């Protein structure tokens, strides 16, 4: 990628009956956004036309057959399909799920072959996307299969970053899914992301307990004593700045969480409830640990307001800026590490 080229930002449009297209289009109504990147929607020109008409959004775009044909300074739409899907705002339909996956697959393929630099995914319905050909709980699991690396669901803002040991796993299954290998892997992934994606030199990571009050020394469950504490001590002794386990019910009640660069929650709601409470509308879901950059807004399809023009695009806009920021940080990190290796070789 030449220094003068803008970052090519791919957008999978998500559930067409939700607010995905609305928040994505609203983000780029402001033409100044084109100074930062070249947006490329994966859908069809007719689909985007139908969305902008239904939502009364004034925006111009350039239709292309391939992301490689995208033009800087314009909003581009890759024609992934020829059909004109029926819009049924607010309804969970199998058809909308099928087109959401068509968009996601096309955008992911473009990300893999570097026709786009980063990917921002609009919300999908995890039920309607299921089929014989697509059997994943969500974006993160699919992208983990398609892209190299150890995936981590990482919810981020400037001041708060929460990763998950287990993400889309039933609460009853979360404790049995947590083991020493998983903990070590997730801690290393979060540390690497903090260094490479966010420029943190010496990451400090807090782990939340699995049980209430982190088990109260085994009184309320033994998982924290038997699994979490030994691994935290082992990693701390090895030089990792890893602390905990902390009782999740009081951890976010003061500014104590701000002493850490990231927090690792044991399961989905333990991390997502405080994150969305403290940062809703400005938070971003980032899939850390993969070979490519993918972000998404911190909300779902929002069927209850879909098609009404009421959706707030703040989180989607933050997802765009976060993807661009991480991409640039990775380029800088790569350059610095390559220079260090070259200097080391020169000394030998």
């Amino acid at each position: 990628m030449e220094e003068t080229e803008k970052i090519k930002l791919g957008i999978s449009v998500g559930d067409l009956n939700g607010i995905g297209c609305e928040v994505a289009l609203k983000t780029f109504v402001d033409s100044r956004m084109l100074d930062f990147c070249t947006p490329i929607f994966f859908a069809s020109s007719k689909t985007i036309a139908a969305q902008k008409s239904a939502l009364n959004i004034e925006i111009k775009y350039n239709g292309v057959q391939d992301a490689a044909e995208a033009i800087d300074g314009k909003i581009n739409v890759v024609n992934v399909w020829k059909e004109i899907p029926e819009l049924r705002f607010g309804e969970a339909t199998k058809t909308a799920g099928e087109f959401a996956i068509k968009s996601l697959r096309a955008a992911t393929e473009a990300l893999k072959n570097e026709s786009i630099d980063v990917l921002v995914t609009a919300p999908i319905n995890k039920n309607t996307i299921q089929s014989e050909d697509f059997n994943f709980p969500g974006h993160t699991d699919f992208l983990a299969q398609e892209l190299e690396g150890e995936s981590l669901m990482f919810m981020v803002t400037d001041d708060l970053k929460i990763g998950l040991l287990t993400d889309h796993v039933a609460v009853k299954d979360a404790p049995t899914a947590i083991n020493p290998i998983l903990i070590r892997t997730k801690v290393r992934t979060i540390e690497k992301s903090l260094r490479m994606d966010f420029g943190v030199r010496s990451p400090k990571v807090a782990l939340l307990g699995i049980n209430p009050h982190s088990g109260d020394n085994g009184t309320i469950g033994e998982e924290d004593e038997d699994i979490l504490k030994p691994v935290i001590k082992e990693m701390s002794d090895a030089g990792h700045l890893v602390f905990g386990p902390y009782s999740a019910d009081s951890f976010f009640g003061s500014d104590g969480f701000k002493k850490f660069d990231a927090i690792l929650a044991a399961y989905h709601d333990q991390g997502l409830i405080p994150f969305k409470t403290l940062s809703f509308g400005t938070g971003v879901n980032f899939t850390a640990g993969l070979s490519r950059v993918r972000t998404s807004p911190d909300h779902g399809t929002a069927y209850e307001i879909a098609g009404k023009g009421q959706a707030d695009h703040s989180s989607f806009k933050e997802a765009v800026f976060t993807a661009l920021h991480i991409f640039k940080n990775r380029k800088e990190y790569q350059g610095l590490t390559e220079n260090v290796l070259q200097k080391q070789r020169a000394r030998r």
Side-chain angles (χ1 to χ4, degrees):
M1 180 179 180
E2 298 295 331
E3 289 295 326
T4 55
E5 288 181 13
K6 289 191 177 71
I7 296 171
K8 289 186 176 182
L9 183 132
I11 297 166
S12 62
V13 294
D15 191 313
L16 297 174
N17 295 334
I19 64 169
C21 277
E22 179 180 348
V23 294
L25 290 171
K26 281 180 173 178
T27 295
F28 290 98
V29 164
D30 185 346
S31 60
R32 291 174 298 179
M33 292 296 292
L34 300 179
D35 294 336
F36 302 105
C37 64
T38 300
I40 304 168
F41 287 70
F42 287 82
S44 76
S45 294
K46 290 180 179 178
T47 298
I48 298 300
Q51 288 274 344
K52 61 175 271 195
S53 176
L55 295 162
N56 195 30
I57 296 174
E58 289 297 323
I59 199 166
K60 293 180 179 179
Y61 55 87
N62 173 55
V64 295
Q65 296 305 311
D66 189 280
E69 301 170 6
I71 299 173
D72 280 352
K74 293 182 180 294
I75 297 164
N76 298 270
V77 178
V78 175
N79 287 296
V80 178
W81 55 76
K82 296 180 180 178
E83 307 95 320
I84 307 176
E86 179 187 5
L87 292 182
R88 295 167 62 181
F89 286 118
E91 295 185 34
T93 68
K94 200 68 180 172
T95 299
E98 290 169 357
F99 282 97
I101 295 310
K102 285 183 180 181
S103 176
L104 176 61
R105 285 192 185 279
T108 303
E109 192 58 36
L111 190 63
K112 288 164 69 175
N113 65 32
E114 299 185 357
S115 295
I116 58 175
D117 299 307
V118 298
L119 172 62
V120 180
T121 59
I124 53 177
N125 180 313
K126 292 178 176 60
N127 183 39
T128 63
I129 60 171
Q130 302 302 320
S131 69
E132 289 183 6
D133 296 328
F134 193 94
N135 186 21
F136 299 92
H139 285 114
T140 303
D141 304 85
F142 170 71
L143 292 167
Q145 174 186 285
E146 294 295 309
L147 304 171
E148 298 172 357
E150 294 284 350
S151 68
L152 171 81
M153 188 172 176
F154 205 9
M155 307 299 295
V156 303
T157 67
D158 287 342
D159 301 320
L160 178 62
K161 294 175 176 61
I162 301 180
L164 303 181
L165 272 176
T166 63
D167 40 62
H168 295 123
V169 174
V171 173
K172 65 181 178 63
D173 298 327
T176 55
I178 297 171
N179 57 61
I181 293 174
L182 178 71
I183 298 165
R184 292 187 200 103
T185 300
K186 295 295 184 181
V187 168
R188 290 184 183 118
T189 300
I190 212 169
E191 288 174 333
K192 183 178 179 181
S193 179
L194 288 168
R195 291 189 185 97
M196 181 171 67
D197 302 325
F198 299 98
V200 179
R201 288 188 177 183
S202 302
K204 289 178 64 178
V205 180
L207 272 73
L208 300 183
I210 299 170
N211 294 298
H213 307 293
S214 297
D216 265 344
N217 296 314
T219 306
I220 313 174
E222 298 175 349
E223 290 86 356
D224 295 275
E225 292 294 320
D226 294 346
I227 303 172
L228 273 183
K229 287 183 179 180
V231 178
I232 291 171
K233 183 179 186 308
E234 170 202 314
M235 297 196 78
S236 179
D237 289 346
H240 296 265
L241 300 178
V242 181
F243 304 88
Y246 294 98
S247 180
D249 66 339
S250 58
F251 186 77
F252 297 95
S254 66
D255 285 345
F257 69 90
K258 294 181 180 179
K259 297 175 183 176
F260 301 95
D261 298 300
I263 299 125
L264 196 51
Y267 55 92
H268 186 278
D269 283 13
Q270 188 190 64
L272 272 289
I273 289 173
F275 182 83
K276 291 189 177 185
T277 300
L278 292 169
S279 64
F280 197 79
T282 61
V284 174
N285 179 0
F286 165 48
T287 307
L290 298 181
S291 58
R292 301 282 187 271
V293 178
R294 172 261 173 169
T295 63
S296 70
D298 67 354
H299 58 73
T301 55
Y303 286 140
E304 66 278 7
I305 59 169
K308 299 177 181 179
Q310 299 173 1
D312 184 348
H313 64 287
S314 300
S315 183
F316 194 92
K317 188 174 182 179
E318 285 298 321
V320 168
F321 280 125
T322 299
L324 301 178
H325 181 67
I326 291 171
F327 183 80
K328 290 175 181 176
N329 280 351
R330 283 194 181 185
K331 284 287 185 185
E332 184 177 342
Y333 182 85
Q334 184 180 7
L336 289 172
T337 52
E338 284 177 354
N339 288 339
V340 169
L341 287 171
Q342 287 170 0
K343 288 177 181 178
Q344 288 175 344
R345 291 192 188 104
R347 291 191 189 118
R348 291 175 184 170

